[in-house]
Amino acid sequence: MKFIFGGGTVVALLVLISDTYFSKKKPTQKIMFIFLGAPGSGNVTIAERCVKDFGFATVSTGQLLRDAMARGDVLGKQAEGFIKQGQLVPDELVADMVDEWLTRNIDKIDTLMLDGYPRTEKQAQMLDALLKQKFPHITTRLVKINISDDAIVARIADRLTCENKSCSAIYSRKLLQAGQETCPSCGSKLIRRADDQEAVVRERLKVHAQHADALLTFYKNAGVRIDELNVEGKTPEQVFADFKKLL
């Protein structure tokens, strides 16, 4: 259909606008994996393998906070103010950082894995609202990692962490050479973190359990696809093989 308003120039302009509008491609569908697993359940290991083998992207809200503070931008300065006062960074500020990261990077990636986020139902609600409003082309999937508390305590008691904050690699003593005390990745000293003590770990597990059921219910009600991954008694290779079957 043509609309003529007294001149070929106007007709040409309307045709150009029409062609541009209808030829505009829809955003490519993306997938975002959320892991519902207790601290030490192995979600970080799975994410690292996916980055290496498939080129997936992974986002840690802790790393987003550190990067923002290092840049000294507005969000980083706000976060630093709360941290210096010994306060938790508000959920709203964390959501803003996730929003900013997605805005900058989502067009460059196909599959994204969230590390340690969301942790509470409120955070899940905020993330869901953000995706619906600004990133409707991102499909959320939830992976529930099943492992007992005792198995996690034993696993964490066996691990060492690189003290180099720019590395922070985590290793199981079983996979290191006997007596090895340096990081295979960067050569820095390997340490046992203070929060890897059994009493601290069990308290963290208790906090996780308080939020896990509410998170699971929220995503069930939201119609999100939920897969379960049983990791107890399995090697990292076996766990990753099981995870690949979910893709």
Side-chain angles (χ1 to χ4, degrees), residues 12-60:
L13 180 59
L14 285 172
V15 170
L16 176 61
I17 293 173
S18 176
D19 289 345
T20 302
Y21 178 81
F22 288 110
S23 64
K24 195 173 183 180
K25 293 183 179 180
K26 293 182 179 179
T28 304
Q29 282 296 124
K30 315 286 184 176
I31 297 177
M32 174 183 289
F33 280 99
I34 295 173
F35 290 101
L36 181 56
S41 60
N43 59 298
V44 174
T45 302
I46 295 171
E48 288 174 347
R49 282 294 304 272
C50 286
V51 171
K52 178 182 177 182
D53 291 13
F54 304 132
F56 292 177
T58 181
V59 177
S60 160

Side-chain angles (χ1 to χ4, degrees), residues 76-201:
K77 289 179 180 178
Q78 291 177 3
E80 190 171 20
F82 286 104
I83 292 173
K84 283 184 176 179
Q85 294 175 31
Q87 300 177 12
L88 292 175
V89 177
D91 290 338
E92 292 78 7
L93 184 53
V94 176
D96 286 343
M97 290 185 176
V98 173
D99 181 359
E100 192 268 343
W101 190 94
L102 288 173
T103 299
R104 285 190 292 109
N105 295 284
I106 196 60
D107 288 340
K108 309 171 190 174
I109 60 179
D110 293 318
T111 304
L112 170 67
M113 315 187 87
L114 291 184
D115 177 9
Y117 185 80
R119 295 181 185 272
T120 66
E121 184 178 6
K122 179 183 176 182
Q123 290 179 349
Q125 291 170 344
M126 296 178 71
L127 176 61
D128 186 62
L130 170 65
L131 296 177
K132 287 178 178 177
Q133 180 180 2
K134 296 187 65 176
F135 307 98
H137 57 300
I138 298 179
T139 299
T140 301
R141 288 182 57 183
L142 181 75
V143 178
K144 182 177 179 291
I145 301 179
N146 298 323
I147 183 172
S148 68
D149 286 359
D150 287 342
I152 288 179
V153 170
R155 178 183 289 187
I156 291 180
D158 187 59
R159 75 183 185 183
L160 295 173
T161 303
C162 178
E163 69 173 358
N164 179 0
K165 292 183 179 180
S166 64
C167 177
S168 298
I170 298 174
Y171 301 95
S172 169
R173 293 177 191 269
K174 297 176 183 177
L175 301 179
L176 294 170
Q177 296 181 3
Q180 183 170 352
E181 298 180 352
T182 57
C183 175
S185 298
C186 71
S188 299
K189 184 179 179 181
L190 293 174
I191 60 173
R192 187 178 183 195
R193 291 177 5 186
D195 58 354
D196 281 350
Q197 304 298 323
E198 180 173 347
V200 179
V201 172

